[in-house]
Amino acid sequence: MSINNLKPGSRATVFGFNQGSCTYKQKLMSMGLVPGAEFIISKLSPVNDMVEIFINGFSLILRRSEAEILKIDKVCM
Amino acid sequence: MKKIALLGNPNCGKTTLFNALTKKRNKVANWAGVTVEVATAAYSKNLEIIDLPGCYSICHADTSGAIDEMIAANYLFNNKVDFIVNIIDSSNLVRSLYLTTQLLELELPTIIIVNKVDLLKNTTINIESLAKSLKPYAIISACTNDPKDIINIKHMLENKMLNTQKQKLKPILCFSDEIKNCIEKVQQSLALDEAEITASKQAIAINILSGNKIKNIKTESLYNTLDACRKKLQIESQEDMDIVIAQARYDFIKSIMPKIEIKQKTEKENDPVTKRLDDILTHKYLGIISLMCIMYFLFFFALSTASSVQQLFSNIGEVFLITGTATILNKLNSPDIFNIFLIHGLGQGITTLLSFIPIVFTMFYSINFLEETGYMPRAAFVTDRLMRILHLPGKAFIPLLIGFSCNVPAIIATRTLETKRDRIIAGIMTPFMLCNARLAVFAIFASTFFPTYPSVIIFSLYITGVIVAIITGFILCRFIIPGDIQPLIMELPPYQIPKQKTIIANSLTKTVKFCFRVGKYIVGLSGIISILSSVSYEYHGATKTLLEIIGANITPMFNGIGVSNDNWPASVAIIAGIVAKETVIITLSQLYNGSLNNITTLPSDFWAYAIDNIQNSFMLLVPFYKASHNEINSSLQANLKMFFTNNSNVIAYLFFNLLYMPCISTIITFAKETNWRWAMFSATWSLSIAYLIASLILKLTNMATENILVISVTVIAIALNIIISKRIAQKEIKNESGHEFNSN
């Protein structure tokens, strides 16, 4: 599942990475998006092609198209 | 000399601490090839503190990432660093500790400072248990605003330095036994040149294992070992090595977190004020509107403050450096050549620089203010989609906007961009933004020739500038320096009320730095032009200054853009405008009235003149006080109408002035930010575009036939420019992949 399938406010966990830029993947991991990490989608902005997520107590913005590299699972609440 | 490296995430309060520790005795080292400044300062006789750029991690897969992080990583692995001070943002413990786990592997004595503890609201941090988890490293808690804490840290630094002279520290490894095993294997097969590599073998081994490249270390011989390790581990985890290692670090951090961070509330959500503000500021439509409003008010503040002070600064320069020196030299009866050099060269040069200082300072202040509030990432959020058309990140929008006030601080603002390519493209696009100095010129022309609709002319000039900038950006990113857009991962910090003291201090240091780095060139070049305008010779029966002679002789070059031979002052003004765009008007009004005169007569009583002049410029600081410029303007307007015979010539001249060349200060600043080749490209590129557009305008309005030649020549020039600069760019990329980011 990709980050873009989720609605704002939903929780998800990372379970892996798709093929893609190694630097980008490492940067995501240094921000805490390692397999097993849980985050909340705070905002999806298709007009700006942005997604804002809340992880480990801070907000992060990613481009929606680039964030496709994250394989995620939705967490049921 | 021992070195202490200061490291931490961006915005963790690192620089504040650096300034407090060193009392701003810092000098700035520039890094070869890139303009990331790394501040170093002597702490004591044999101790030096280095403020490395903020980073989230010191592991990098390749060199395509951000310049700042690469510099921090390369510095640590390739320089003799003796101690590390790691600053942790207590509101972002988990992420901060990720960097800490990497730093500890370097086996260097490390002090960890938990910062911003006073800002925590719903959580408390157990420093002792953090210290226990990260044994044997010293931990102290500190908030950098408190002088007591600074003294504490200083004690710690001094004691720690003494106690851990040669003692090897045992690093904490957050890894499982299998990974540890692999690390050891890699470590054993590593053949290192001890003299060159000073970083710990262990850290290097971990980096190599996760597939990272480290400068000066070859990994080819390790291929078999690495392959064996990967095979062994991948069977168990089926993941890439870097993921396993990153995950291990985070697992370790998560395991110690419950002991360290005690939360009063169960779920820490984003700050409600931030959330509400973000609803507007990052809204899909309101976001861009609010960005425009914020920037407009900022410019309004910066420009109105600066322009009133600017008059004072340039008057001080004129009174003391020009008239003052002239009076003294006159009394001394010194030789003419000496006079010209001192008065027109040095005096005028410094005066030009002085007049730039207010606007540079207020722009630095405004940018700094915005950065401190935390708004900048939101601006990137809103503009990213737009800028991606040009393969630029959203951040590049800010320097372009700043360009509307003054190009010089705008070029400096390109430093916030992550890669060199982005900086070059944004830096070349910026001068096409109609700056305030040019606006002053256009306002007079527009009100003279198009009194019924001056705003239409001004507006179309603005639009043309933007369109040319976009086309330029397009050509640069498609043909000259093609490159992929950097992926975007940006933190959105909660909004903050900025601290005036830090902003002012910061902008002051930046302004002083600007004066020294760029100032000497501005003084030199504008001095040369000023000397040209003051040395006079007999020419065709009349005494004329060198600049006038040059202007008269090169006027035929400007025939193609509508400047007739009679109107040679217009071409002199074009040359004078290279120093600073506002001088176009001054030059024109002086030349139409007779000749260029910088100093007509020396005042009989210098002090009375000085006091009167300074007093007048102070009056300008009083709001709503306006000096009467009407007299000069009306005579200038009459002259302009006499010399510019038809309106299409005027329009061509205006568009030429808009585009023809960035002013000297802009070119120099750009050259200092990148290199002289790109500055030359920027100048020649804009010159040929200006020719093309001005002659096209004439062609369309006049149907003048000789313009075909001019147009075709400029088109060829543009094409040549593209081809040459493309080759330069390719060469540069080739050179840089070899020895980029060489530290001192």
Side-chain angles (χ1 to χ4, degrees), chain B residues 77 144 271 437 485 488 535 566 650 660 733:
Chain B
F77 281 106
T144 41
D271 175 27
I485 188 164
L488 176 115
V535 182
D566 301 335
V650 174
Y660 76 103
I733 290 162

Side-chain angles (χ1 to χ4, degrees), chain B residues 23-37:
Chain B
K23 294 203 190 82
K24 293 208 192 72
R25 287 168 301 190
N26 53 338
K27 54 175 197 250
V28 171
N30 235 340
W31 295 67
V34 281
T35 2
V36 173
E37 283 171 345

Side-chain angles (χ1 to χ4, degrees), chain B residues 690-729:
Chain B
Y691 254 101
L692 182 67
I693 290 188
S695 47
L696 271 179
I697 289 170
L698 277 185
K699 177 89 188 77
L700 292 177
T701 52
N702 261 0
M703 305 305 279
T705 41
E706 75 261 48
N707 274 339
I708 300 281
L709 183 69
V710 179
I711 292 168
S712 42
V713 167
T714 44
V715 169
I716 293 168
I718 289 169
L720 271 177
N721 214 340
I722 292 177
I723 295 165
I724 294 169
S725 52
K726 191 182 166 79
R727 298 200 61 171
I728 291 173

Side-chain angles (χ1 to χ4, degrees), chain B residues 553-567:
Chain B
N553 280 318
I554 63 160
T555 306
M557 275 175 59
F558 298 115
N559 281 349
I561 56 156
V563 178
S564 60
N565 282 344
D566 301 335
N567 197 7

Side-chain angles (χ1 to χ4, degrees), chain B residues 39 45 177 242 340 363 369 427 446 544 555 591:
Chain B
K45 247 185 199 166
D177 290 337
D242 53 349
I340 284 170
M363 281 318 295
F369 183 87
K544 288 195 167 171
T555 306
L591 284 179

Side-chain angles (χ1 to χ4, degrees), chain B residues 58-93:
Chain B
I58 52 167
C59 301
H60 296 281
D62 50 41
T63 53
S64 68
I67 299 173
D68 294 25
E69 292 208 343
M70 296 295 306
I71 281 180
N74 282 334
Y75 195 92
L76 283 177
F77 281 106
N78 290 294
N79 283 273
K80 271 211 164 93
V81 175
D82 302 279
F83 307 98
I84 289 176
V85 174
N86 177 211
I87 295 124
I88 286 181
D89 179 355
S90 60
S91 57
N92 262 319
L93 262 187

